Amino acid sequence: MSEDQQRSMEVLLSEAQIRTRVAEMGREISAIYGDEALTVIGVLNGSFIFMADLVRQISSPVRCEFLGLSSYGSATESSGVVAITKDLGSSIAGQHVLVVEDIIDTGLTMKYLLENLSTRHPASVRVASLLSKPARRQVETQIDFLGFTIEDRFVVGYGLDYAGLHRNQGFIGVLAPGRFGA
Ligand code: 5GP
């Protein structure tokens, strides 16, 4: 992204705001699990930066796993069709699982994922999401740890992409305010 583009993008959440909230979330999670080990499952690709920062703020023993799910591709609307593009590397049976997601929008992806994970017999499953857009929800969704609630706007940065780009941007910005009527 050029400096001009970066200047013209509206900053929704600054790097400092994100850092502070992620540290708080890490403390909330550590308080729940204590000395119990947890398996953190990052939903690829969008959660990789959030997960990397979050796990370093958790004091409980942590295993890191990744699961690839199809999502937006280069469009900005959810199709509701979810497919596993990369499965877990090992069994989660009997483990305390924390699913880490970048954003919960319609909730369809998380609904599918939680149903899928429950068939693998984990000891427990909780959900940590950096962002939530409740205005867009189509199905009830479990979120145990939430970073920020945001309005119905398409955001990029801090792992979130548009057409594969912007994931490496440190802040979360609104790509095209007009696109969602904002
Ligand atoms: P859901 O199934 O809850 O509608 O969609 C979840 C997925 O949609 C997220 O993991 C993310 O990949 C994508 N998504 C939803 N809203 C946004 C957004 O505002 N920006 C970006 N970059 N992706 C989004």
Side-chain angles (χ1 to χ4, degrees), residues 71-72 78 101-109 133 153-155 160-161:
S71 65
Y72 278 74
S78 177
E101 179 62 296
D102 52 0
I103 182 165
I104 296 181
D105 186 25
T106 63
L108 293 169
T109 305
K133 280 196 240 180
R153 305 174 86 184
F154 193 81
V155 294
L160 289 143
D161 78 311

Side-chain angles (χ1 to χ4, degrees), residues 123-145:
S124 68
V125 180
R126 290 190 176 92
V127 175
S129 183
L130 180 67
L131 305 172
S132 172
K133 280 196 240 180
R136 300 246 316 154
R137 207 73 92 238
Q138 289 180 24
V139 287
E140 281 273 316
T141 312
Q142 173 191 348
I143 310 180
D144 301 279
F145 308 98

